[in-house]
């Protein structure tokens, strides 16, 4: 049985607004991090001229993937900026010359479905395509498998209460996304693709239905509007009835979200590296909530100031409201894994009271652990092992549902870290 | 300041849950005042001031649990707890209201005060030792009152009007006469009278109708662990149906036994108490079945406090039930 709750929705604030563009930052700060790996080889030095899309660093180890510049200009410095996880990371500072110069690359003059698998893997690897909603692992890893891939699931559930970046992308680029899905099926000899959409998302269903007619191998499957249905393991379980241990590839299933599919499209069609994305800027602390097309490395505050604040003292939450992070520093920068920035006049305050042992945290936990028993046993290591603390996915549902407002998510995180 | 999400929360708070339980009790409180006060006044059995006695009992019970709970917290937990906030959010008068609705109308006030004091202090001490709410204060208070009742020859459940018509409550009749529809059930009316609550019993628990309405309200408001009462009801009914079959009793036997002795009220408001019941769905079902079985056993062993003894013993097993059932939480 799939467990979850229907969250309150604040999507209408930004949903049907025109996509804004913020493509002229004076400086960009390209973070030298890939996924959570900060072990990066820097390939540029101060004074170097870089093009838009130039490789400025490369992840070491097994998952080699480039980090690209999002502007053309001159490398002027290295500095520390705040990444989406709230930690400071080393960044390459590039002064934008506003010329948007790109490296001269061989023109790709073929349909995107005509790539061989090797060409496809190489292209998305060289373009630095990474997962744009999860932990930011390189996308080519999912396809670079000897196992037969049976199913591609396109995750259009966007179960955040605020984010609409995937929605607007799908509305604007539905044809391109379907073309890419079809190409992925052909290139990787995948049997079928399933587009997972929430059943009450009628606007999205109408748009997809109006374009999907010619794609016989692509099906739309509706899923319930509950959180965290967008979690990969849940989605695979709901759509295909399959459980897996570590990765869906074990069972021949690949899951990509809409933004990742579109970045694959740009890589295959234009050989364009991943250095821009759409981010939802929303909340009561901003004058015109909207989706904005931004360059990776752009200071978030610059974009907020451009849109306009409703108060001088704003609070920034990076990510969605369940798993996101409140960032006190104004040094936060736009990265490929940020789909939403919530700007609030003030953070909601909740008074914690005594646990009434209602059991709701246990009842709704998607990984079927018992947060309240973990809280009770936080000093008993033997008992904690039996309570499967390691299975926690940090979805925050236990804290959300707790009527006593106990921050169970943080308690479990601390227990696990210890 | 917490920097991690979630930054949104469900609207259902502990305060709302407690408030909903209080709201669910209101029809039963009003029924208690009507049955044991207003009816007597309108029938000319008592004067107006005396007709307010049920209100006085309810007030005394809730005041006792509130004062003893707050005093204990002020004296022994003042370092850990913000007293003002505690008073606002603890709803510690609720157990008192629940207790007042199940006790006999003729329970001496001193005994009520004493039972509330002992149960509150014992509950708090065991909580301090085990970090678990082991005992349900209401069940424990009722057991203490029952002990005093036995010592003092029994406190009558009959109000001043009922005492002119009957000698005993239906449960007492069943104990003395063994089940026989004509002798035990019929003198108080048919089962419809039991369902409506027009029979002797605890101060405000006898109306099955109002109990069911309150239960539905609590389910709709997501403020009750409904699996506990439901599994207990089912177990109790199955058990008594089997006993009825073996003893050649009529089909009303099981329903009658369910309707008397505060069973329905106690299962809804006492057995399902959040603090003292299991957290997993399976645990709640197991706990409910256990209460059902123990209630059947105690009806024959200790009928005056059967459901309360069943809840009291089941409470002790909650940590064990939780630890076992969490493994099956799938």
């Amino acid at each position: 049985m799939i467990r979850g709750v229907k969250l309150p929705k604040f999507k209408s604030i930004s949903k049907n607004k025109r996509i804004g563009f913020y493509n002229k930052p004076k400086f960009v700060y390209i973070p030298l991090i890939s996924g959570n790996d900060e072990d990066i080889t820097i390939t540029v030095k101060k004074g170097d001229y870089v093009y838009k899309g130039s490789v400025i660093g490369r992840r070491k180890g097994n998952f080699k993937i480039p980090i690209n510049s999002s502007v053309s200009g001159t490398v002027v410095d290295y500095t520390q900026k705040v990444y989406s996880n709230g930690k400071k990371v080393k960044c390459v500072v590039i002064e934008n010359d506003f010329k948007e110069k790109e490296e001269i690359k061989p023109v790709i003059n073929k349909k995107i479905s005509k790539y061989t698998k090797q060409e496809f893997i190489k292209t998305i690897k060289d373009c630095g395509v990474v997962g744009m909603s999860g932990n930011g692992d390189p996308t080519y890893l999912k396809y670079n498998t000897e196992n037969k891939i049976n199913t591609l699931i396109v995750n259009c559930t966007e179960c955040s209460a605020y984010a609409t970046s995937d929605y607007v992308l799908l509305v604007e680029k539905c044809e391109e996304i379907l073309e890419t899905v079809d190409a992925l099926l052909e290139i990787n000899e995948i049997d079928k693709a399933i587009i997972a959409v929430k059943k009450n998302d009628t606007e999205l269903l109408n748009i997809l239905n109006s374009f999907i007619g010619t794609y016989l191998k692509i099906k739309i499957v509706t899923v319930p509007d509950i959180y965290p249905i967008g979690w990969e393991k849940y989605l695979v379980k709901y759509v295909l009835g399959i459980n897996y241990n570590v990765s869906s590839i074990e069972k021949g299933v690949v899951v990509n979200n809409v933004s990742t599919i579109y970045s694959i499209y740009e890589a295959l069609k234009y050989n364009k590296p991943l250095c821009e994305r759409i981010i939802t800027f929303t909340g009561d602390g901003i004058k015109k909530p909207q989706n904005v097309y931004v360059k990776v490395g752009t200071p978030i505050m610059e974009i907020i100031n451009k849109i306009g604040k409703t108060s001088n003292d704003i609070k920034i939450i990076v990510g969605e409201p369940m798993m996101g992070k409140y960032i006190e520093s104004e040094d936060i920068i736009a990265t490929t894994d940020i789909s939403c920035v919530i700007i609030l006049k003030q953070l909601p305050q909740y008074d914690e009271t005594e646990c009434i042992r209602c059991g709701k945290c246990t009842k709704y936990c998607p990984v079927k652990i018992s947060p309240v028993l973990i809280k009770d046993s936080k000093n008993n290591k033997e008992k904690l092992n039996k309570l499967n603390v390691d299975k926690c996915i940090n979805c925050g549902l236990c804290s959300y549902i707790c009527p006593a407002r106990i921050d169970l998510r943080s308690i479990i995180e601390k227990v696990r870290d210890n | 300041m917490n920097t991690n999400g979630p930054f949104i929360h469900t609207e259902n708070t502990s305060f709302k849950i407690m408030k909903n339980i209080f709201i669910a009790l209101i029809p039963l409180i009003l029924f208690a005042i009507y049955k044991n006060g207003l009816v007597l006044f309108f029938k000319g059995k008592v004067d107006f001031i005396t007709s307010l006695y049920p209100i006085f009992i309810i007030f005394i019970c809730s005041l006792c649990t509130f004062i003893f709970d707050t005093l204990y917290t002020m004296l022994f937990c003042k370092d850990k707890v913000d007293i003002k906030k505690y008073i606002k959010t603890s709803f510690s008068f609720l157990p008192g209201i629940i207790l007042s609705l199940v006790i006999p109308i003729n329970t001496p006030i001193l005994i009520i005060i004493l039972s509330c004091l002992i149960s509150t202090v014992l509950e708090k001490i065991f909580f301090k030792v085990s970090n678990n709410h082991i005992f349900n204060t209401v069940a424990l208070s009722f057991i203490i009152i029952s002990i005093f009742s036995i010592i003092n020859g029994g406190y009558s459940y009959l109000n001043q009007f009922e005492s002119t018509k009957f000698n005993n409550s239906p449960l007492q009749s069943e104990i003395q006469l063994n089940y026989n529809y004509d002798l035990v059930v019929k003198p108080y009316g048919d089962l419809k009278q039991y369902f409506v609550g027009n029979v002797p019993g605890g101060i405000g628990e006898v109306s099955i109708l109002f109990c069911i309405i309150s239960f539905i309200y609590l389910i709709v408001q997501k403020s009750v662990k409904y699996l506990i009462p439901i599994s207990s009801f089912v177990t109790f009914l199955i058990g008594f149906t089997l006993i009825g079959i073996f003893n050649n009793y009529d089909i009303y036997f099981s329903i009658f036994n369910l309707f008397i002795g505060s069973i329905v009220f106690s299962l809804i408001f006492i057995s399902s108490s959040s603090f003292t019941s299991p957290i997993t769905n399976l645990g709640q079902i197991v706990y409910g079945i256990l209460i059902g079985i123990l209630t059947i056993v105690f009806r024959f062993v200790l009928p005056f406090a059967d459901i309360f003894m069943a809840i009291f013993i089941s409470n002790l097993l909650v940590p064990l039930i939780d630890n076992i059932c969490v493994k099956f939480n799938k």
Side-chain angles (χ1 to χ4, degrees), chain A residues 321 325-326 354 356-357 405, chain B residues 3-4 7 10 133 225 274:
Chain A
K325 230 176 168 57
Y326 163 59
E354 187 193 353
I356 59 167
R357 297 184 66 80
R405 303 288 186 250
Chain B
T3 57
N4 287 328
F7 298 98
T10 171
H133 290 280
K225 291 177 177 173
S274 268

Side-chain angles (χ1 to χ4, degrees), chain B residues 35-328:
Chain B
K35 180 176 174 273
N36 296 295
L38 296 180
V39 168
L40 308 190
F41 174 67
F42 289 126
K43 288 193 185 285
K45 297 284 174 192
V46 295
D47 58 32
F48 181 70
I49 299 294
T50 314
S51 76
L52 300 178
Y53 188 66
I55 301 177
F56 177 66
I57 294 251
I58 294 167
F59 176 73
I60 286 292
C61 285
S62 45
L63 189 69
C64 283
T65 51
F66 173 76
I67 287 179
F68 296 142
D69 184 272
T70 310
L71 268 179
Y72 185 94
T73 309
M74 284 170 77
L75 291 173
F76 301 107
C77 311
K78 61 183 174 188
D79 301 338
K80 294 178 193 166
V81 182
D82 176 354
I83 296 295
K84 274 186 189 171
K85 191 176 141 190
Y86 183 79
I87 290 170
K88 275 184 194 168
T89 57
S90 69
F91 275 82
S92 49
F93 62 88
L94 265 185
I97 295 181
I98 295 171
L99 177 68
S100 69
L101 298 178
V102 291
I103 57 176
I105 185 84
N106 298 300
T107 311
I109 299 298
L110 188 66
I111 300 297
I112 293 175
I113 296 171
L114 206 58
S115 72
C116 288
L117 176 66
I118 297 169
S119 62
T120 306
V121 171
L122 276 179
E123 199 277 335
K124 293 278 178 190
I125 289 170
F126 277 94
F127 177 68
K128 203 170 183 181
V129 173
S130 66
N131 211 22
N132 275 319
H133 290 280
I134 293 178
F135 302 126
N136 185 300
T137 330
V138 181
L140 191 55
S141 297
F142 192 91
I143 291 167
I144 294 166
I145 289 174
S146 296
I147 293 167
F148 281 111
S149 176
I150 291 165
I151 294 167
N152 294 319
Y155 304 133
S156 172
Y157 279 89
L158 307 178
N159 64 35
Q160 281 167 301
F161 173 61
E162 289 162 344
S163 60
T164 60
K165 288 172 70 183
F166 313 112
N167 294 324
N168 285 318
S169 69
L171 181 60
Q172 287 165 318
S173 295
E174 192 188 28
I175 296 162
Q176 286 174 7
L177 304 170
N178 281 335
Y179 179 78
N180 179 308
Y181 187 86
D182 291 330
L183 294 176
V184 174
V185 185
K186 212 173 173 184
Y188 302 93
D190 57 16
L191 284 177
K192 273 184 214 158
Q193 298 298 321
Y194 288 83
F195 186 71
V196 175
N198 200 13
V199 290
I203 293 176
E205 50 77 19
V206 280
S207 174
I208 309 300
L209 174 67
F210 284 128
C211 286
I212 291 172
I213 291 171
S214 299
F215 188 43
I216 292 168
Y217 172 78
L218 289 173
I219 291 174
V220 171
Q221 295 293 332
K222 296 179 180 170
S223 300
V224 66
K225 291 177 177 173
Y226 60 89
L227 288 172
I228 297 170
I230 289 173
S231 50
S232 291
F233 285 142
V234 172
T235 309
F236 190 88
L237 278 176
I238 291 172
F240 265 89
T241 305
L242 291 174
I243 293 167
I245 290 169
F246 286 126
N247 290 288
N248 286 327
Y249 292 143
D250 58 35
I251 53 166
Y252 302 118
F253 173 68
S254 55
I255 304 286
F256 169 72
N257 272 285
L258 181 67
F259 283 3
I260 61 170
S262 309
I263 300 286
V264 176
F265 177 87
S266 303
L267 288 182
I268 293 169
F269 288 99
I270 306 173
S271 73
S272 65
S273 164
S274 268
F275 288 104
T276 51
S277 55
I279 52 164
T280 61
N281 283 354
L282 179 64
Q284 287 164 28
I285 293 170
V286 170
Y287 177 76
I289 292 171
L290 183 65
I291 290 176
I293 293 169
L294 288 175
T295 308
I296 295 168
V297 172
F298 280 112
R299 176 132 299 185
F300 295 101
V301 180
L302 204 64
F304 292 110
D306 49 6
I307 179 76
F308 302 97
M309 281 303 291
I311 292 171
F312 181 77
I313 290 172
S314 305
N315 281 168
L316 299 174
L317 298 171
V318 166
L320 181 69
I321 294 172
D322 268 341
N323 280 335
I324 293 171
C325 291
V326 77
K327 292 174 193 161
F328 299 96

Side-chain angles (χ1 to χ4, degrees), chain A residues 113-275:
Chain A
S113 59
K114 297 299 173 196
Y115 277 77
T116 63
K117 183 153 181 172
Q118 285 72 24
E119 286 171 340
F120 162 73
I121 299 288
K122 186 176 184 311
T123 306
I124 61 169
K125 186 178 175 182
D126 290 348
C127 288
V129 178
V130 292
M132 293 169 79
S133 65
N135 54 10
D137 279 342
T139 301
Y140 78 89
L141 293 171
K142 291 190 173 183
Y143 292 93
N144 195 15
T145 170
E146 286 173 7
N147 292 353
K148 158 83 177 152
I149 303 173
N150 306 308
T151 313
L152 166 66
I153 297 177
V154 183
N155 187 351
C156 299
T157 55
E158 202 167 41
C159 52
S160 160
Y162 281 90
T164 53
S165 53
D166 276 2
Y167 171 83
V168 294
L169 184 62
L170 203 54
V171 170
E172 293 280 322
K173 305 286 181 187
C174 189
E175 279 176 291
E176 287 85 345
I177 285 163
L178 288 174
E179 186 188 344
T180 314
V181 173
D182 191 52
L184 288 170
L185 296 185
E186 206 163 323
I187 295 165
N188 296 286
E189 295 174 344
I190 303 172
D191 299 337
K192 62 176 187 283
I194 290 170
I195 300 183
V197 185
K198 282 185 180 162
K199 63 181 171 192
N200 56 356
D201 205 342
T202 45
E203 294 163 45
L204 209 55
L205 284 167
N206 289 339
I207 291 163
L208 282 164
N209 278 320
S210 62
F211 285 104
I212 208 164
T214 52
Y215 299 106
L216 300 176
K217 284 183 173 180
I218 306 176
K219 273 187 195 167
I220 299 170
V221 170
T222 56
V223 297
D225 180 15
I226 54 167
Y227 176 86
I229 192 73
W231 174 40
E232 197 170 301
K233 209 163 188 172
Y234 242 29
L235 199 61
V236 173
K237 167 81 180 155
Y238 186 84
V239 172
L240 300 171
I242 293 173
N243 283 314
Y244 61 83
N245 292 325
V246 181
S247 164
S248 60
I249 308 297
E250 295 163 20
K251 304 283 179 178
V253 181
V254 169
V255 183
N256 285 145
N257 81 334
V258 177
S259 297
T260 310
I261 294 280
Y262 189 69
S263 63
I264 293 174
Y265 171 81
E266 291 193 314
L268 298 182
K269 185 85 177 175
Y270 308 113
N271 210 357
K272 185 184 167 189
L274 175 57
C275 53

Side-chain angles (χ1 to χ4, degrees), chain A residues 3 321-322 324-326 348 350 352 354-358 360 368 370 372 399-400 403-405 407 409, chain B residues 1-10 12-14 17 85 133 222 225 274-275 279 322-323 326 329-330:
Chain A
R3 297 173 176 190
M322 293 294 279
K325 230 176 168 57
Y326 163 59
Y350 298 103
E352 188 176 313
E354 187 193 353
C355 174
I356 59 167
R357 297 184 66 80
C358 62
K360 287 182 196 288
K368 292 158 188 173
S370 177
V372 61
S399 298
Y400 170 83
R405 303 288 186 250
D407 189 8
R409 181 193 161 186
Chain B
M1 183 187 288
N2 180 32
T3 57
N4 287 328
F7 298 98
I8 50 175
H9 283 278
T10 171
N12 207 12
T13 61
S14 304
I17 290 173
K85 191 176 141 190
H133 290 280
K222 296 179 180 170
K225 291 177 177 173
S274 268
F275 288 104
I279 52 164
D322 268 341
N323 280 335
V326 77
N329 180 31
K330 288 182 178 152

